[in-house]
Amino acid sequence: MACRNREKGEAARRRILAANPPLEPELKILDLASLDSVRVFARELLEEGKAPHILVNNAGTMAIPLSRTAEGFEMQ
């Protein structure tokens, strides 16, 4: 599981474990608004010899105030 917030990700992981005991999802930190975070995440997967199996992208935003990532890209 890739999550940008460790505490929320761990809470979701515990809920999955409780509802589906045979599953053992691993939590990794990934903030898609940070290219540095994406690079670290990808490097960790490559070093571990792992590949993502499923991608669920929750990106439902609209008409949010203008903001920028650390790299200067528009957030929306």
Side-chain angles (χ1 to χ4, degrees):
M1 294 174 41
C3 301
R4 66 178 169 206
N5 180 292
R6 184 173 302 280
E7 291 78 26
K8 289 181 179 180
E10 191 56 45
R13 184 181 160 321
R14 284 192 301 268
R15 286 193 304 274
I16 291 170
L17 286 169
N20 303 288
L23 296 181
E24 294 185 29
E26 180 180 347
L27 178 64
K28 291 205 174 285
I29 301 304
L30 171 62
D31 182 355
L32 294 175
S34 166
L35 293 178
D36 286 337
S37 176
V38 172
R39 286 183 192 102
V40 168
F41 177 81
R43 185 175 56 244
E44 287 177 359
L45 287 182
L46 287 172
E47 287 172 356
E48 295 170 4
K50 296 180 180 175
H53 295 285
I54 293 176
L55 173 64
V56 177
N57 189 6
N58 181 8
T61 60
M62 185 175 148
I64 61 173
L66 178 63
S67 59
R68 305 263 177 204
T69 68
E71 292 88 3
F73 296 106
E74 185 176 349
M75 285 290 285
Q76 183 164 324

